[in-house]
Amino acid sequence: MILNNEALIKEPKAKKIEKKLECHNDVRIDNYFWMNDRENQEVIDHLNAENNYTKSILKHTEAFQKELFEEMKGRIKEDDTSVPYKLNGYWYITKYEKGKDYPIYTRKKESLESKEEIIFDCNEMAKGHAYFKLGGISISPDNTMASFSIDTVSRRQYTLQVKNLVTGEIFSDKIENTTGSSTWANDNKTLFYTKKDAVTLRSNKIYKHKLYTKEEDDILVFHEEDETFNAFVYKTKSKKYIVIGCSSTLTSEYRFLDANTPDAEFKIFQERERKLEYSIAHYDDSFYIITNNNEATNFKLQKTSIHATEKSNWVDVLPHREEVLLEDIEIFKNYLVVNERENGLNKIRIISWDKTEDYYLDFNSETYTASLGNNPDFNSNTLRYSYNSLTTPSSVIDYNFSTKKSEVKKEQEVLDKNFDKNNYTSQRVWATAKDNTKIPMSIVYKKGIELNGENPVLQYAYGSYGSTIDPYFSTIRLSLLDRGFIYVIAHVRGSEYLGREWYENGKLLKKINTFTDFIDCSKYLIENKYTSPKHLYAMGGSAGGLLIGAVININPELYNGVIAAVPFVDVVTTMLDDTIPLTTGEYDEWGNPNEETYYKYMKSYSPYDNVAAKNYPNILVTTGLHDSQVQYFEPAKWVAKLRELKTDKNKLIFHIDMEAGHGGASGRFESLKEVALEYAFLLDLEEIAH
């Protein structure tokens, strides 16, 4: 029996303090603007009240949540080890031990039979911290030093330190507010790293640090002053160059320096030009460039001499193709490996430098994910890649260029005696959007399900920044599939699933396509008897949370329930506030609302601005107090406004992790507790198995 807990505790009603927000002679009234102040005790009290209300509404599911958590955790191998990879004379291995939440980073010299050396045990390092994340580890060329970084707040502001791997000593110097990654020059004593703006968290300054000197002596080698760009630094796979990159959504620029002469000046590769995107890799006496140069919408591969890097010198290696998106390359001593996407599917192409070989690896599946793995060894004769699908657990595979043989080094173990991948089926179907565009969906469900309109369906999408959600295997998702749910990934416009044009048609003044594509996919699922509005659920996070917020303003009647995780819902106000992390760098994605055209367009779909007095589905919203990507107050205000205006009696609950940020809880299994809460919310609405 499902108890009605609504009577036990009253839903929080936020107070209203009118604030007029005026722009382009348009006045918006924001009654909940006061929630923006994280230091205000009233704000914290309100968030705690929301958590208490959520707890009371879901109280009858607490035992079920625990059962789900243990079930999901139980499928994951606790004492697990990564596939070793070799770099500069050492084999590197990451392992997990039973009963411990965090990874242990180890290495072995020359042979896997050698004595294990523990580099970092994150279980020890995490003691005393509610949140812990180890950032990028970078090993010095002589293998004696490791730079590493730590975040204990979940705001992605990492503290950088150096450890002597010979003595075990961790140097006392701490460099605060970095991106977490760092890069050694070839002298084993010079370290390049990136600092963030303390307010906006934009990565904007590259510094050079010498071992055994103080941070205040570090030299600023580059300052990115354009607020729409981020800066980063890395070393080429060939180990020959240190590279500083700058990028905005649509424009890139690089500088490079011989890694043997870290005190020399960086040389600009190709000056930034609006809408010219490129990335660089080094091989022999050339740089290889993935670029959209000369209207190569889906990108192409060019090359140029290391002595003449300007665009006028670039020549085609792989020309632009209308139907194929060039995503990435991996350079080896004897082979070039190309990661492509055609008709939504990943393809791996192998080309020998001597031009005698050019072929694709074979993947026989209707919908799958294949991606290049960790390949740090330039001289290797083996390509490491990963493969999985909605029904096939993830595999790490080594492909030998000489023998043409593939070896599965590891297949993800599913610790569930009832699991058999042959019990599930996956398919790709195409919905027709209102403008007659075909929208692909990847679908998975347990075999034997009858498509009678009565099945619960969870429809997921993201659809922004050209970020593509490929059909991937999840042991966690089995808890839904085994209880009769059908799971759907809608490959809506705004991703790059069908190439760069797919992205271009779901951003800026075409953003609405992302939302209407999702809705048209929902209508397809209903019309084709996968489900009905009584059993259809939608989910998205971050910019995908914006998608959910927009969709339930447009067609709330299609869904019985939705989950909006860390949702970006107050689009106009956020994009007008250039002190908020990420805002200025996002103008190429959403538009700059200081221009009236973009302001009006954003306002037309912004979930917070379009909440109205009408019926909404059951809603679960989640966020983290320390979120650096989408500030906690966006969902807080949205929930308050929904409570004020909605006319239904459906559930509206808001779960705030008071310790975590955008990525949720740290620790290997802690995040499963939030998934268990989300799944309990869905399964409770379906009255499925408590």
Side-chain angles (χ1 to χ4, degrees):
M1 176 181 163
I2 298 177
L3 297 172
N4 189 334
N5 289 284
E6 279 90 333
L8 301 180
I9 188 167
K10 288 186 74 172
E11 64 178 19
K13 291 281 190 192
K15 71 176 184 181
K16 291 161 70 170
I17 302 174
E18 184 178 294
K19 180 165 180 80
K20 288 183 177 174
L21 300 169
E22 189 167 356
C23 188
H24 306 300
N25 298 317
D26 179 58
V27 177
R28 291 178 302 132
I29 304 297
D30 187 349
N31 291 319
Y32 304 108
F33 191 86
W34 63 273
M35 290 186 184
N36 287 33
D37 183 5
R38 191 189 278 104
E39 305 303 316
N40 181 345
Q41 189 57 44
E42 269 192 274
V43 173
I44 300 300
D45 291 345
H46 176 74
L47 297 179
N48 284 326
E50 286 283 7
N51 272 341
N52 290 335
Y53 177 66
T54 299
K55 204 170 166 57
S56 80
I57 293 295
L58 293 179
K59 189 164 184 57
H60 64 288
T61 71
E62 279 180 3
F64 186 42
Q65 286 181 50
K66 194 157 190 251
E67 179 190 324
L68 285 166
F69 171 76
E70 294 298 341
E71 179 179 294
M72 292 185 286
K73 182 183 174 187
R75 292 193 197 100
I76 299 170
K77 195 168 190 283
E78 286 200 56
D79 51 338
D80 203 3
T81 304
S82 68
V83 180
Y85 68 87
K86 197 171 190 186
L87 178 62
N88 198 20
Y90 279 83
W91 288 95
Y92 287 88
I93 304 156
T94 305
K95 64 180 186 178
Y96 289 90
E97 293 180 348
K98 196 169 177 64
K100 294 183 178 178
D101 251 345
Y102 294 95
I104 301 166
Y105 294 90
T106 71
R107 68 179 184 176
K108 294 179 177 183
K109 190 170 184 179
E110 293 300 343
S111 164
L112 287 169
E113 309 307 313
S114 299
K115 183 169 176 276
E116 177 184 83
E117 177 187 336
I118 293 177
I119 309 172
F120 297 105
D121 183 344
C122 294
N123 300 287
E124 291 299 316
M125 298 166 78
K127 283 180 178 172
H129 299 293
Y131 176 92
F132 177 86
K133 182 77 183 286
L134 184 70
I137 300 169
S138 181
I139 308 292
S140 63
D142 65 2
N143 293 311
T144 64
M145 300 283 174
S147 57
F148 67 99
S149 58
I150 291 171
D151 175 12
T152 56
V153 179
S154 184
R155 210 160 154 74
R156 302 187 184 182
Q157 291 172 283
Y158 288 87
T159 300
L160 188 66
Q161 289 181 267
V162 175
K163 180 177 181 178
N164 185 320
L165 296 177
V166 179
T167 66
E169 175 198 1
I170 293 178
F171 294 8
S172 58
D173 292 355
K174 293 183 177 182
I175 302 171
E176 308 284 352
N177 193 30
T178 77
T179 58
S181 61
S182 53
T183 300
W184 293 93
N186 290 344
D187 63 358
N188 300 296
K189 64 181 182 184
T190 306
L191 196 61
F192 292 89
Y193 64 90
T194 313
K195 287 202 89 159
K196 293 186 164 189
D197 181 283
V199 177
T200 66
L201 303 191
R202 182 173 68 89
S203 49
N204 62 343
K205 291 179 179 177
I206 310 292
Y207 282 90
K208 179 169 63 179
H209 174 78
K210 299 282 188 184
L211 283 189
Y212 312 108
T213 66
K214 296 289 183 192
E215 183 194 347
E216 50 263 35
D217 298 327
D218 290 358
I219 295 168
L220 177 67
V221 294
F222 178 74
H223 181 194
E224 178 52 76
E225 295 183 349
D226 187 326
E227 291 183 342
T228 65
F229 280 75
N230 287 299
F232 51 93
V233 61
Y234 66 96
K235 188 190 272 187
T236 56
K237 183 175 172 179
S238 65
K239 310 303 178 196
K240 182 86 167 60
Y241 295 103
I242 304 288
V243 179
I244 291 175
C246 315
S247 67
S248 70
T249 310
L250 294 176
T251 309
S252 15
E253 181 181 71
Y254 290 85
R255 288 163 172 73
F256 64 104
L257 170 77
D258 190 316
N260 291 315
T261 57
D263 295 327
E265 294 291 314
F266 279 85
K267 178 177 184 282
I268 199 154
F269 190 92
Q270 159 62 42
E271 286 190 4
R272 66 187 68 175
E273 289 180 12
R274 176 88 176 137
K275 295 191 177 179
L276 173 66
E277 295 177 68
Y278 70 95
S279 59
I280 61 176
H282 170 247
Y283 171 69
D284 204 11
D285 59 357
S286 299
F287 281 106
Y288 285 76
I289 308 134
I290 298 175
T291 180
N292 65 351
N293 185 23
N294 293 332
E295 299 181 4
T297 309
N298 273 334
F299 293 83
K300 62 182 176 181
L301 185 65
Q302 298 193 289
K303 70 182 274 194
T304 194
S305 162
I306 57 173
H307 304 297
T309 61
E310 295 77 16
K311 187 178 70 168
S312 57
N313 300 294
W314 301 357
V315 295
D316 282 5
V317 178
L318 296 174
H320 177 252
R321 289 160 291 170
E322 291 290 336
E323 303 302 320
V324 180
L325 176 68
L326 175 57
E327 292 196 320
D328 198 9
I329 62 168
E330 190 74 73
I331 287 179
F332 294 88
K333 185 177 179 182
N334 298 316
Y335 288 89
L336 169 68
V337 179
V338 186
N339 200 14
E340 302 175 347
R341 183 184 295 275
E342 185 173 12
N343 196 31
L345 300 178
N346 309 119
K347 300 176 82 172
I348 295 177
R349 182 179 180 185
I350 294 169
I351 306 167
S352 61
W353 290 116
D354 65 10
K355 301 287 199 319
T356 59
E357 297 176 85
D358 185 347
Y359 59 93
Y360 288 88
L361 296 184
D362 194 21
F363 302 119
N364 291 317
S365 181
E366 183 180 10
T367 179
Y368 63 89
T369 300
S371 59
L372 301 181
N374 188 14
N375 293 282
D377 185 0
F378 182 73
N379 295 310
S380 176
N381 198 38
T382 302
L383 167 72
R384 178 160 293 171
Y385 70 94
S386 64
Y387 176 88
N388 71 99
S389 73
L390 288 166
T391 58
T392 310
S394 182
S395 294
V396 175
I397 300 167
D398 278 0
Y399 174 80
N400 188 292
F401 294 122
S402 301
T403 65
K404 309 288 187 284
K405 294 274 195 317
S406 291
E407 181 188 357
V408 177
K409 302 300 285 186
K410 180 179 182 178
E411 181 171 290
Q412 177 184 4
E413 287 186 60
V414 182
L415 301 187
D416 180 345
K417 63 181 189 301
N418 297 316
F419 174 74
D420 179 348
K421 62 187 176 187
N422 297 310
N423 290 340
Y424 305 87
T425 189
S426 68
Q427 60 184 153
R428 189 165 65 155
V429 300
W430 301 75
T432 303
K434 62 177 188 174
D435 63 358
N436 287 324
T437 302
K438 297 290 186 188
I439 313 299
M441 288 181 276
S442 296
I443 301 178
V444 62
Y445 52 88
K446 206 161 184 187
K447 282 180 180 168
I449 279 180
E450 188 186 340
L451 299 183
N452 58 9
E454 297 299 310
N455 302 299
V457 164
L458 178 58
Q459 181 184 336
Y460 174 85
Y462 185 73
S464 293
Y465 304 104
S467 179
T468 300
I469 307 298
D470 281 308
Y472 64 97
F473 183 80
S474 164
T475 62
I476 295 165
R477 192 190 298 134
L478 294 174
S479 290
L480 286 182
L481 300 183
D482 289 348
R483 289 177 172 86
F485 261 79
I486 296 171
Y487 185 83
V488 177
I489 301 171
H491 303 292
V492 295
R493 281 174 280 189
S495 76
E496 283 186 344
Y497 186 78
L498 291 176
R500 184 70 174 196
E501 284 288 333
W502 203 246
Y503 169 42
E504 299 290 345
N505 285 320
K507 63 187 276 208
L508 296 174
L509 298 175
K510 296 179 179 176
K511 188 66 217 168
I512 198 77
N513 286 336
T514 303
F515 317 136
T516 54
D517 283 358
F518 190 89
I519 288 165
D520 289 328
C521 286
S522 298
K523 289 176 178 174
Y524 176 96
L525 294 168
I526 293 165
E527 287 162 10
N528 288 275
K529 299 283 197 247
Y530 285 87
T531 191
S532 66
K534 274 200 302 192
H535 300 288
L536 179 56
Y537 302 90
M539 182 174 181
S542 194
L546 158 65
L547 164 63
I548 298 303
V551 159
I552 62 171
N553 280 333
I554 300 166
N555 280 105
E557 75 286 352
L558 291 177
Y559 309 94
N560 188 38
V562 302
I563 298 173
V566 292
F568 172 42
V569 283
D570 190 10
V571 183
V572 181
T573 306
T574 291
M575 292 305 297
L576 281 168
D577 185 353
D578 60 15
T579 68
I580 291 177
L582 303 183
T583 292
T584 53
E586 306 271 293
Y587 290 157
D588 286 333
E589 179 71 24
W590 311 103
N592 182 348
N594 294 299
E595 297 174 29
E596 189 171 4
T597 303
Y598 289 110
Y599 173 86
K600 284 182 172 173
Y601 190 76
M602 267 179 212
K603 189 184 171 190
S604 74
Y605 67 73
S606 171
Y608 184 60
D609 290 293
N610 289 283
V611 173
K614 59 184 172 188
N615 289 353
Y616 283 90
N618 294 283
I619 302 170
L620 167 62
V621 182
T622 65
T623 193
L625 181 63
H626 299 290
D627 198 320
S628 61
Q629 313 297 104
V630 177
Q631 305 296 312
Y632 73 90
F633 46 76
E634 290 200 39
K637 290 161 52 175
W638 183 48
V639 168
K641 193 170 181 181
L642 279 165
R643 283 207 200 291
E644 176 196 346
L645 293 176
K646 76 189 191 81
T647 52
D648 58 82
K649 293 278 194 274
N650 289 329
K651 290 184 174 73
L652 171 56
I653 52 179
F654 185 27
H655 173 69
I656 308 101
D657 188 326
M658 302 301 278
E659 304 287 350
H662 198 65
S666 69
R668 196 171 175 209
F669 301 113
E670 276 304 301
S671 60
L672 292 181
K673 290 177 180 171
E674 188 161 295
V675 180
L677 182 142
E678 292 167 351
Y679 282 12
F681 169 75
L682 296 172
L683 292 161
D684 183 46
L685 290 171
E686 280 294 309
E687 299 187 20
I688 291 176
H690 285 220

